[in-house]
Amino acid sequence: MFYLCTSIFIPNLVEKETIYILAIESSCDDTSAAVLCNDKVISNVVSTQKIHEEYGGVVPELASRAHQQNIVPVVHQALLRANIDKKQLSAIAFTRGPGLMGSLLVGTSFAKSLALGLDVPLIEVNHMQAHILAHFIVTEKNTKPEFPFLAMTISGGHTQIVRVNDFFDMEILGQTLDDAVGEAFDKSAKILGLPYPGGPLVDKFAQLGNPKKFPFPKPKVDGLNFSFSGLKTSILYFIQRETKTNPNFKEENLNDICASIQYTIINILMDKLKKAVKETGIRHVAIGGGVSANSGIRSALKNTEKKYGWSTYIPKFEYCTDNAAMIGIVGYHKYKQKAFASQDITAKARYIIQ
Ligand code: KG4
Ligand code: ZN
C-alpha cells in the first residue's frame, strides 16, 4: 500500500517536518524492513525463513545466517517500494531485543553501519513495545487506543498483560511462567503432526471443528500470570492414550482436536484479561503479537464490546506477526522525542519493557 506523504501544515502555518524512518526487524526468523513517512507505512517487506519448517522450530544458528543473506535485499526492496532514496531518510530504527542474539546482531550491526554511513540518528526499539505500539500506525480504518489501556501481547516468545500509561510508560501486570502462548499452539500442532509454525494451521482446522468435543484442563495460576506447559503435556497424554485404541485418532478428529485446543487457550487468555480489567478498571483493551492473528481470539475480544462495554483494538493482520512497520512507528515516536541511541549500543537478548 502506498500513501502520498507531503508536509503537513499546522494551524499557525508553520510547516511540520516530514520524517522518513527506515526500520529493521530481525529478532527471530523474519527479516523485515519498512519505510514510514511520519506515522504512515509506505513500505513493509517481510521475508519469512522457510528453512526452520523441516526442523519443527527455529534453529538459532540457521536464523542468523538467513538474516545475513536476506538483510540487504529486504532493505533494498523496502526502499524501492517506498520510492525514496536512502539520502532522504531521517533516521534508522532497529530491534535491539528481546530475541535470539545471533539474529538481533545482524539487524543491529546493519542499522548501526547504515546510520553511520548516512550520518543520520540511530533509534533502538524494544520488540515487545513495538507489538503494542503497532496500534498507532495510521491506516484507513484504525482508531488509536486511548491511554491508559491494557495490552495483551501474545507471541511465539511472550505472553504478557501490560498496562500502557503512555508511549514509553508501560508496566507488566502478568506474564507466562513457562511456555508462551504461541509455543502452546506450535507444540500442540507438532504433537498432531502438523508442520512448524503450527499456530495458523490449528486456527484453520479449528474453524471446522467442535470446540467442546474434547475438554482440556485449565491451569490454576495466581494473579495475572499464565502457564501453558501443563496444557501441552495433557494434550500429549490425551493423544497417546487415544491413539492406542485408534491409530487413526488424530487424522479422524483433527478439526475437533484443534477446535478444543484453541477454545481452551482462548479461555485461559480471556479469563486473565477479564481479571485485569476488573483489577485496573481500564476497559480499553488491545492485543498484539503473532497470536493476535488468531481468528478465535479476535472474535472473543470483539464480543466483549457488546457484552462488557470494552473498547477493543485488534491489529491489522500484517502488523500482528513480526514486521518492521511496528519498529518504525516506535522509531517515529522516539524521533519526535529525540530519543536517539549512540553507536556503542549493543543487542539485548533479554530486554524487559518499562
Ligand atoms: O510475534 P510473532 O510473529 O513472533 C514472535 O515474536 O514470537 O509470533 C509468532 C507466533 C507463532 O507461535 C505462530 O504460530 C503464532 O504466532 N501464530 C498464530 C497464528 N498466527 C501466528 N497462532 C495461532 N493462530 C494464528 N492464526
Ligand atoms: Zn514478535
Side-chain angles (χ1 to χ4, degrees):
M1 176 141 335
F2 289 87
Y3 287 93
L4 186 65
C5 195
T6 50
S7 299
I8 304 156
F9 288 90
I10 50 177
N12 63 4
L13 296 180
V14 176
E15 197 178 349
K16 213 174 137 189
E17 190 184 0
T18 301
I19 299 161
Y20 286 107
I21 306 277
L22 170 72
I24 293 162
E25 154 64 31
S26 72
S27 64
C28 191
D29 59 341
D30 293 302
T31 318
S32 180
V35 177
L36 271 78
C37 174
N38 297 336
D39 48 8
K40 293 193 180 78
V41 177
I42 46 176
S43 70
N44 183 34
V45 178
V46 183
S47 167
T48 300
Q49 303 172 2
K50 295 281 171 218
I51 184 129
H52 308 288
E53 272 174 27
E54 57 192 278
Y55 297 93
V58 178
V59 183
E61 175 63 22
L62 296 179
S64 53
R65 285 189 208 184
H67 282 304
Q68 275 195 311
Q69 285 174 343
N70 295 343
I71 192 111
V72 172
V74 164
V75 169
H76 184 67
Q77 266 303 311
L79 289 168
L80 214 63
R81 288 189 200 175
N83 197 23
I84 71 161
D85 188 88
K86 52 186 179 306
K87 292 196 185 79
Q88 290 173 264
L89 295 172
S90 315
I92 313 291
F94 70 99
T95 304
R96 185 184 182 195
L100 301 170
M101 188 45 110
S103 293
L104 291 166
L105 278 172
V106 178
T108 305
S109 321
F110 188 91
K112 283 167 72 172
S113 318
L114 192 59
L116 193 65
L118 295 173
D119 194 23
V120 293
L122 182 65
I123 301 171
E124 60 95 21
V125 175
N126 179 306
H127 180 92
M128 296 314 292
Q129 209 163 38
H131 271 306
I132 296 172
L133 297 181
H135 288 281
F136 292 86
I137 294 172
V138 170
T139 62
E140 317 87 79
K141 283 194 206 143
N142 80 325
T143 14
K144 298 175 193 175
E146 274 173 35
F147 296 116
F149 65 93
L150 294 176
M152 185 165 71
T153 42
I154 39 181
S155 73
H158 293 84
T159 308
Q160 296 179 332
I161 295 181
V162 180
R163 182 192 163 107
V164 186
N165 297 317
D166 206 341
F167 285 108
F168 303 109
D169 177 5
M170 302 186 185
E171 186 191 344
I172 298 171
L173 303 180
Q175 58 193 326
T176 184
L177 304 175
D178 41 57
D179 290 351
V181 61
E183 274 179 284
F185 270 107
D186 296 340
K187 288 177 179 173
S188 306
K190 198 171 178 179
I191 295 169
L192 297 174
L194 301 173
Y196 177 85
L201 291 169
V202 172
D203 187 1
K204 185 176 142 201
F205 296 122
Q207 290 174 41
L208 306 168
N210 173 1
K212 296 193 178 157
K213 181 80 180 278
F214 305 113
F216 293 111
K218 284 197 288 177
K220 289 187 178 54
V221 187
D222 285 344
L224 296 174
N225 290 328
F226 300 89
S227 167
F228 289 101
S229 66
L231 175 65
K232 172 191 66 193
T233 312
S234 69
I235 292 167
L236 178 66
Y237 290 165
F238 167 75
I239 297 293
Q240 284 175 343
R241 205 172 52 237
E242 296 294 331
T243 313
K244 263 189 202 150
T245 46
N246 173 9
N248 298 325
F249 177 77
K250 280 193 293 200
E251 294 74 14
E252 287 171 9
N253 296 279
L254 190 61
N255 295 342
D256 291 339
I257 303 169
C258 288
S260 303
I261 293 171
Q262 183 164 302
Y263 178 75
T264 311
I265 293 176
I266 290 169
N267 275 339
I268 295 170
L269 295 173
M270 291 306 296
D271 282 356
K272 292 289 174 166
L273 211 42
K274 282 178 211 159
K275 191 171 161 67
V277 168
K278 203 168 166 202
E279 285 180 10
T280 60
I282 299 172
R283 290 203 287 179
H284 289 263
V285 183
I287 52 170
V291 180
S292 54
N294 182 272
S295 61
I297 190 73
R298 291 170 91 89
S299 60
L301 192 66
K302 201 85 205 128
N303 289 342
T304 63
E305 296 202 337
K306 265 206 185 126
K307 212 165 167 190
Y308 308 118
W310 295 7
S311 301
T312 65
Y313 306 90
I314 300 173
K316 275 182 86 175
F317 273 107
E318 64 217 83
Y319 304 139
C320 288
T321 45
D322 289 348
N323 66 88
M326 68 181 194
I327 306 302
I329 192 70
V330 182
Y332 168 68
H333 286 283
K334 283 198 166 182
Y335 187 95
K336 289 204 300 183
Q337 299 184 359
K338 305 239 173 302
F340 302 137
S342 67
Q343 273 289 334
D344 56 14
I345 196 153
T346 52
K348 231 175 161 178
R350 279 178 56 78
Y351 189 7
I352 296 160
I353 55 173
Q354 286 144 4

